[in-house]
Amino acid sequence: MTTPPPPSEPETAAVPTCYRHPGRETYVRCQRCDRSICPDCMREASVGFQCPECVAEGNKTVRQAQTAFGGRAVTTPRATWTLLVLNVLAYVAETLAPGPVIYGFQMDAGAVYHGEWWRLLTGAFLHAPLANGSFAITHILFNMWALYVIGPELERRLGSLRFLALYLLSALGGAVAVYLFGIAAVGASGAIYGMFGALFVVSRRLGYNARGVLLLIVANAVITFAVPGISWQGHLGGLITGTVVGVILAYAPQRNRNVVQWGGCAVVLLALAAVVMTLPPYIYQLQLGFPG
């Protein structure tokens, strides 16, 4: 007679390990996919923890916060600070080498007419050099003060990309006006006046009292025509362009808003380019028989 063998001990259950770090034991599971996750992979959720992949997947379905006019919400106005730094760096460069910088990059109608297109935009980042007297430092200080004060507000209302489009198109609009009716100019004033116009539009669109902005525009317009040596062309061109772009951005319908806004900005850009490509500057209009 044989004795039956004793029952075998139950097999020890396998210890769960992290799906991303197989060598780490863990008894915590992702609340979405139920995979084991170690402390380094735990992401706190509303209930329990989730793995990094589930968190990333969930973020795709979260709607990004937007401004009142469709841009991505702005906490730090990086576009404004970047523009301000670029203007200051350009001023340092022209102070160290005024001749090459000013004569190579200022807005010059004759040079643009002969193919130096970059001057339409680079001139907006230059300012009157120190050699021109006390007005020089006042020139850049006022423009940078206005950018510092108004830029962040507009950027937070519009979003960084839309604000940048407004700024550059306003600068271009001011340069085109100088091209048509002036000779040469430097300064960010066209872009600054464009910001004035856009701020007025945005304020009205949001239902704010825009009287203060209107007084600011009128006061600067008086200075523009009262003080000699100021390019009224650049100021007026920037103001008109900025106001138009502001209307496009602020009054675009909710439906297809992105298409209307970016399409409208593209139309403004093409219109300004068409003006420069089809019309000669004022300095040649008289020679070619255009009415003065």
Side-chain angles (χ1 to χ4, degrees), residues 24-229:
R24 299 182 184 179
E25 298 181 6
T26 180
Y27 292 91
V28 178
R29 293 182 178 274
C30 173
Q31 293 297 312
R32 294 187 65 180
C33 66
D34 202 39
R35 290 182 292 190
S36 298
I37 49 177
C38 68
D40 288 342
C41 298
M42 294 177 189
R43 302 294 184 268
E44 189 171 0
S46 56
V47 178
F49 296 93
Q50 294 181 9
C51 66
E53 293 180 14
C54 288
V55 171
E57 187 67 26
N59 288 338
K60 293 180 182 178
T61 62
V62 176
R63 186 176 181 181
Q64 295 290 337
Q66 292 187 334
T67 68
F69 304 111
R72 180 171 294 184
V74 174
T75 54
T76 302
R78 291 186 174 86
T80 299
W81 305 146
T82 299
L83 290 169
L84 199 152
V85 168
L86 289 176
N87 276 276
V88 172
L89 290 177
Y91 195 70
V92 172
E94 70 180 67
T95 300
L96 296 176
V101 175
I102 291 294
Y103 294 112
F105 297 97
Q106 71 174 348
M107 172 54 209
D108 184 288
V112 172
Y113 183 66
H114 289 96
E116 297 182 9
W117 310 103
W118 64 86
R119 294 175 180 268
L120 290 166
L121 200 56
T122 56
F125 290 90
L126 303 177
H127 289 82
L130 290 173
N132 286 16
S134 59
F135 175 71
I137 195 66
T138 304
H139 190 205
I140 187 171
L141 284 180
F142 172 79
N143 283 342
M144 294 304 98
W145 173 83
L147 178 58
Y148 174 80
V149 173
I150 300 176
E153 173 67 16
L154 272 176
E155 186 173 351
R156 290 189 176 100
R157 297 294 181 185
L158 300 175
S160 296
L161 290 179
R162 287 164 176 77
F163 169 73
L164 194 59
L166 165 71
Y167 186 94
L168 295 178
L169 285 173
S170 299
L172 185 60
V176 170
V178 173
Y179 171 82
L180 288 178
F181 307 112
I183 298 176
V186 292
S189 300
I192 300 300
Y193 274 69
M195 289 167 51
F196 291 162
L199 183 61
F200 176 79
V201 172
V202 167
S203 298
R204 291 295 301 271
R205 183 68 176 89
L206 294 175
Y208 299 155
N209 187 344
R211 184 177 302 175
V213 183
L214 185 59
L215 291 176
L216 177 66
I217 294 174
V218 171
N220 280 277
V222 170
I223 295 174
T224 296
F225 290 98
V227 177

Side-chain angles (χ1 to χ4, degrees), residues 162 165-166 168-170 172 240-253 255-273:
R162 287 164 176 77
L166 165 71
L168 295 178
L169 285 173
S170 299
L172 185 60
I240 294 174
T241 305
T243 302
V244 171
V245 174
V247 169
I248 293 171
L249 297 177
Y251 286 89
R255 184 176 182 180
N256 298 323
R257 180 163 55 184
N258 287 338
V259 175
V260 174
Q261 289 175 333
W262 293 115
C265 289
V267 169
V268 173
L269 176 61
L270 292 175
L272 293 174

